Amino acid sequence: MQSSVRLLARPLLESSRGFCTSSEKIVASVLFERLRVVIPKPDPAVYTFQEFKFNWQQQFRRRYPDEFLDIAKNRAKGEYQMDYVPAPRITEADKKNDRKSLYRALDKKLYLLIFGKPFGATSDKPVWHFPEKVYDSEPTLRKCAESALKSVLGDLTHTYFVGNAPMAHMAIQPTEETPDLPSYKRFFFKCSVVAASKYNISNCEDFVWVTKDELLEFFPEQAEFFNKMIIS
């Protein structure tokens, strides 16, 4: 399967529907992501530099008079103080490797993949793919992408589509190994999870929430394309 990376959307040929003059199909796919919940741990080199910077600044910091510090301590006496206990970074879903849960890999982004038969599949066997829909009569390609995600989630209440233009696209052409493969273009739209910890995902045989590294394992042939498309 040959694909060409186009990270900047290029205008398509004009037609009565505004997309393409040929019989080539157009597919809208959705990169549905859950953003990070906690700040990632810094790189060891970055942590070492920050520690050095802090110690260096401590040498030249302005020291407050002892009288001022004593007053501040006296004011704090008798006031309610709450002991802060940070939540664990490793959740039960991490320990169980529960990829159906959004409450895992909190310091990384998660992406939704569904199990079924996508457009252009070369066999009847289901495969992992993004929520998608073949463009039909929607007023815009963005609306087509919304319909694709809505068919999986049921509604778009807790979602946010980032912009009206696709973030990338790939052109699929038949090859000697796959002569029956239809020629089509697949456009990717980015959408984010908003104030939700679980979705009632349906209209597919299975689903998973995966990190970028895990996602690339599902698409070895397009790994280079998705590695450039997804900024983690």
Side-chain angles (χ1 to χ4, degrees):
M1 180 182 296
Q2 297 178 348
S3 62
S4 59
V5 179
R6 298 290 186 273
L7 296 182
L8 294 178
R10 298 177 59 185
L12 300 180
L13 299 177
E14 296 182 356
S15 68
S16 58
R17 295 195 304 180
F19 286 110
C20 188
T21 57
S22 67
S23 59
E24 189 177 64
K25 294 290 186 179
I26 292 178
V27 180
S29 295
V30 182
L31 182 71
F32 191 38
E33 66 175 2
R34 186 223 66 191
L35 300 177
R36 295 183 179 91
V37 178
V38 299
I39 299 175
K41 290 184 177 180
D43 184 89
V46 175
Y47 180 83
T48 301
F49 172 76
Q50 291 177 342
E51 186 178 32
F52 165 78
K53 181 180 178 181
F54 174 79
N55 294 331
W56 179 265
Q57 291 176 340
Q58 288 296 100
Q59 301 180 39
F60 304 99
R61 67 183 177 89
R62 177 180 294 179
R63 178 177 177 80
Y64 290 100
D66 294 336
E67 296 80 6
F68 177 84
L69 296 177
D70 291 338
I71 294 174
K73 290 179 181 179
N74 292 332
R75 288 179 178 176
K77 289 181 179 180
E79 295 182 0
Y80 175 77
Q81 295 183 357
M82 180 178 62
D83 294 331
Y84 172 72
V85 179
R89 301 175 68 94
I90 305 299
T91 67
E92 289 298 323
D94 285 313
K95 297 176 182 178
K96 298 177 181 178
N97 194 27
D98 182 6
R99 295 189 175 186
K100 293 185 182 297
S101 172
L102 276 170
Y103 199 61
R104 62 178 290 265
L106 301 182
D107 59 345
K108 299 178 181 179
K109 296 179 181 180
L110 292 181
Y111 304 94
L112 175 65
L113 294 179
I114 60 177
F115 194 63
K117 186 179 178 182
F119 178 80
T122 55
S123 68
D124 293 331
K125 295 182 180 179
V127 296
W128 291 101
H129 63 96
F130 300 95
E132 65 171 34
K133 184 182 183 300
V134 178
Y135 176 79
D136 185 17
S137 58
E138 294 83 3
T140 64
L141 200 54
R142 152 77 183 265
K143 289 294 184 180
C144 182
E146 291 179 358
S147 299
L149 188 59
K150 186 176 181 179
S151 67
V152 176
L153 303 184
D155 63 77
L156 302 178
T157 304
H158 296 284
T159 65
Y160 174 74
F161 273 83
V162 184
N164 294 317
M167 61 185 298
H169 91 274
M170 59 168 57
I172 310 300
Q173 300 291 338
T175 63
E176 295 181 358
E177 292 78 10
T178 57
D180 297 332
L181 181 69
S183 176
Y184 65 96
K185 288 185 174 69
R186 184 183 299 278
F187 290 81
F188 292 88
F189 287 80
K190 179 183 288 188
C191 184
S192 299
V193 172
V194 177
S197 58
K198 185 178 180 181
Y199 290 94
N200 294 321
I201 299 175
S202 59
N203 200 23
C204 62
E205 297 185 25
D206 201 358
F207 71 92
V208 289
W209 290 96
V210 294
T211 64
K212 177 181 177 179
D213 292 337
E214 294 168 345
L215 184 147
L216 297 180
E217 296 176 0
F218 284 87
F219 305 98
E221 296 181 359
Q222 293 85 27
E224 182 180 358
F225 173 85
F226 289 122
N227 186 47
K228 293 180 179 179
M229 184 185 78
I230 302 174
I231 301 176
S232 60

